[in-house]
Amino acid sequence: MSSKPGEEAIVSSYNETEDDGGGRSRDQEGNEDESMFNVKSFLWHGGSVYDAWFSCASNQVAQVLLTLPYSFSQLGMLSGIVFQLFYGIVGSWTAYLISVLYIEYRSRKEKENVNFKNHVIQWFEVLDGLLGPYWKAIGLAFNCTFLLFGTVIQLIACASNIYYINDRLDKRTWTYIFGACCATTVFIPSFHNYRIWSFLGLGMTTYTAWYMTIAALIHGQVEDVQHTAPTKLVLYFTGATNILYTFGGHAVTVEIMHAMWKPQKFKYIYLIATIYVFTLTLPSASAVYWAFGDQLLNHSNAFSLLPKNAWRDTAVILMLIHQFITFGFACTPLYFVWEKVIGMHDTKSICLRALARLPVVVPIWFLAIIFPFFGPINSAVGALLVSFTVYIIPALAHMLVYRKASARRNAAEKPPYFLPSWTAMYVINMFIVVWVLIVGFGFGGWASMTNFIRQVNTFGLFAKCYQCKPATPAALSPKSLHH
């Protein structure tokens, strides 16, 4: 299949001018054979279709893998599986829409001879170029807020996980420690430089998912296990919204595309990544819920119920490393935005850029300490932010960009071969907007905020050790028993 003119312009300009964040321009791609044995190039410079796939699949499942059994305990087995399949397909469609809009924006800018050397295109800039400043402001607000809380969730998850290996320190103290560790992501220039991390990250989640599945099946069902879900609307829509969040990991789609040698090849990458993710999320969530049932309602992290052994500790350590990687994935677009605000985005010095990025980490650290609620915060972020950022806004933007016959006629990307009708695309986009607005944002927002407020009232802000096991008399010292 031949590329369209707009796509050819993108590829041509990208190969000629773009810097990959590590000092290597695309015109060096022809010398790839010469650098085959260059270890730094192999580990550091990524821009192929495979790099993008690893980035999408690795970024989609991180700590949320551990909360899906909790969601199943709220939804029930059947609803849990159906919602995963549904939101996985819907998420893949909106990721496709984002990629189409990026290609359209890039094509128009190339015709105006705009040079993107040393500049990473972001979603809000695509909205600005295609729909104007109001859409830019909306996209910027939702995307940045979502990514901010996405990184907060990673820190909370790090503290929650490490506690199951070493409970001598409380979760809040672990949050301090991992906040400092994750701050080192300021030294990673761009998504080009996540090649080896994406590959390792996906391997880690694959191990963890299959460990959870096998461990739950070997453990078997707990005594008098109960599977009563769904029982309450609040819990039902909270669980559904957490799954909406699971498959809404494409807030960084534009940045991943921009890191590709040929971004027009991205179109179906997210769908293929989602299909692989199904092989991790469906078996693990189903098996753990089958084994523990309603106990999961009070254990939002699946690690808390699985038996402690070397296999589980290995899974915990791997997830900790992966959450560090995911923190970098979610935080890098925020670094880019901040660099553009303070005029440091064109700076080539990695050390200067790292120093400029540090103020972004501080509020993330602080929020993770204030709201350490592992499962409920996923659902709240999903309902209030993900619903708009990665579902509603892309669908609405696509309809508005191609509302005129001339825009459809001159589109850089035509409708996909399996849906060769603009009318059908409009129908699907409108369905997504209405469904997510009512079910995701409306019912999901009500349910998740009700649950979130309940956690705050129960544990308080700045909770020292959320959902930690209380000290038992056997664990108390003789001295404490006399006082």
Side-chain angles (χ1 to χ4, degrees):
M1 183 183 296
S2 61
S3 300
K4 298 175 181 62
E7 295 177 356
E8 291 173 351
I10 294 170
V11 176
S12 174
S13 174
Y14 208 78
N15 286 341
E16 290 170 6
T17 64
E18 191 65 25
D19 188 277
D20 69 358
R24 196 178 70 139
S25 59
R26 298 287 73 77
D27 59 7
Q28 294 172 346
E29 189 180 5
N31 299 322
E32 198 66 40
D33 292 339
E34 297 177 12
S35 60
M36 186 63 71
F37 299 102
N38 186 324
V39 175
K40 179 183 176 183
S41 177
F42 177 74
L43 299 178
W44 192 246
H45 300 296
S48 69
V49 169
Y50 301 103
D51 289 308
W53 183 84
F54 277 114
S55 293
C56 288
S58 176
N59 189 47
Q60 194 172 125
V61 282
Q63 46 71 38
V64 77
L65 189 69
L66 308 175
T67 65
L68 285 174
Y70 168 68
S71 297
F72 271 46
S73 72
Q74 298 168 320
L75 288 163
M77 187 76 79
L78 178 61
S79 291
I81 293 172
V82 169
F83 270 115
Q84 277 205 43
L85 294 172
F86 174 72
Y87 281 125
I89 293 170
V90 171
S92 298
W93 175 257
T94 54
Y96 168 77
L97 297 180
I98 291 173
S99 72
V100 168
L101 293 173
Y102 171 88
I103 294 294
E104 183 68 36
Y105 170 78
R106 190 71 186 260
S107 176
R108 294 183 186 184
K109 290 299 180 182
E110 298 297 350
K111 291 174 183 176
E112 299 172 7
N113 295 319
V114 176
N115 190 327
F116 290 106
K117 187 175 183 179
N118 295 327
H119 182 92
V120 177
I121 297 174
Q122 295 187 267
W123 176 229
F124 69 89
E125 293 170 317
V126 172
L127 291 174
D128 183 28
L130 297 177
L131 294 172
Y134 291 109
W135 277 86
K136 172 186 176 180
I138 293 171
L140 187 61
F142 274 105
N143 215 45
C144 287
T145 309
F146 166 46
L147 291 170
L148 177 72
F149 279 96
T151 51
V152 168
I153 289 170
Q154 299 310 316
L155 279 188
I156 296 171
C158 285
S160 178
N161 290 344
I162 191 63
Y163 182 78
Y164 297 117
I165 290 182
N166 185 339
D167 58 5
R168 289 191 294 274
L169 297 177
D170 58 75
K171 291 182 182 179
R172 188 168 65 192
T173 302
W174 281 120
T175 304
Y176 292 137
I177 294 170
F178 278 98
C181 294
C182 289
T184 59
T185 57
V186 297
F187 289 100
I188 302 177
S190 75
F191 282 96
H192 295 284
N193 313 117
Y194 276 96
R195 166 175 280 185
I196 188 64
W197 296 114
S198 298
F199 176 78
L200 292 175
L202 190 58
M204 293 165 187
T205 50
T206 299
Y207 171 89
T208 302
W210 285 107
Y211 154 73
M212 290 168 61
T213 304
I214 296 168
L217 293 175
I218 292 175
H219 180 278
Q221 292 184 311
V222 295
E223 187 177 355
D224 299 324
V225 66
Q226 292 184 314
H227 300 89
T228 58
T231 55
K232 298 178 181 178
L233 282 177
V234 169
L235 294 179
Y236 188 83
F237 284 108
T238 300
T241 310
N242 187 43
I243 295 179
L244 176 145
Y245 170 80
T246 303
F247 295 96
H250 42 289
V252 294
T253 297
V254 170
E255 288 85 356
I256 292 174
M257 283 189 71
H258 192 82
M260 294 178 68
W261 306 155
K262 298 179 180 180
Q264 82 281 4
K265 290 188 174 182
F266 181 87
K267 288 176 286 188
Y268 305 117
I269 287 176
Y270 196 88
L271 174 61
I272 300 170
T274 298
I275 292 171
Y276 180 78
V277 167
F278 282 149
T279 69
L280 306 181
T281 59
L282 289 171
S284 60
S286 301
V288 175
Y289 177 55
W290 169 82
F292 298 100
D294 290 354
Q295 286 188 18
L296 285 158
L297 288 169
N298 296 315
H299 296 83
S300 55
N301 189 329
F303 280 148
S304 63
L305 290 175
L306 293 169
K308 181 176 174 58
N309 52 40
W311 297 101
R312 193 200 70 168
D313 289 352
T314 300
V316 171
I317 293 168
L318 291 179
M319 284 304 292
L320 286 171
I321 300 170
H322 186 265
Q323 280 150 0
F324 167 82
I325 298 167
T326 308
F327 182 97
F329 259 98
C331 215
T332 298
L334 294 177
Y335 294 151
F336 291 157
V337 172
W338 178 246
E339 287 170 358
K340 291 171 185 177
V341 168
I342 64 174
M344 292 285 287
H345 190 57
D346 293 334
T347 303
K348 293 186 177 180
S349 169
I350 292 178
C351 291
L352 281 177
R353 290 179 70 183
L355 191 62
R357 291 172 169 188
L358 279 175
V360 177
V361 180
V362 176
I364 294 169
W365 211 347
F366 189 62
L367 287 168
I369 295 166
I370 298 176
F371 304 114
F373 312 120
F374 186 60
I377 197 172
N378 283 9
S379 298
V381 169
L384 304 180
L385 298 172
V386 175
S387 57
F388 281 95
T389 303
V390 296
Y391 293 100
I392 294 174
I393 291 177
L396 278 177
H398 189 274
M399 288 191 288
L400 290 174
V401 168
Y402 297 109
R403 66 188 182 278
K404 295 181 180 178
S406 58
R408 295 192 293 272
R409 188 168 53 251
N410 298 317
E413 279 286 337
K414 303 299 182 185
Y417 69 91
F418 58 85
L419 195 72
S421 166
W422 286 101
T423 302
M425 292 192 74
Y426 266 72
V427 170
I428 292 174
N429 289 345
M430 185 54 69
F431 169 76
I432 291 173
V433 170
V434 173
W435 175 274
V436 176
L437 193 62
I438 295 173
V439 178
F441 177 72
F443 288 108
W446 160 73
S448 58
M449 287 310 298
T450 300
N451 189 33
F452 187 79
I453 292 169
R454 186 179 298 158
Q455 301 298 318
V456 173
N457 291 337
T458 302
F459 295 94
L461 300 177
F462 298 97
K464 191 172 185 178
C465 214
Y466 173 68
Q467 286 190 343
C468 296
K469 293 180 180 179
T472 60
L476 296 174
S477 65
K479 182 178 179 179
S480 65
L481 289 174
H482 286 89
H483 294 276

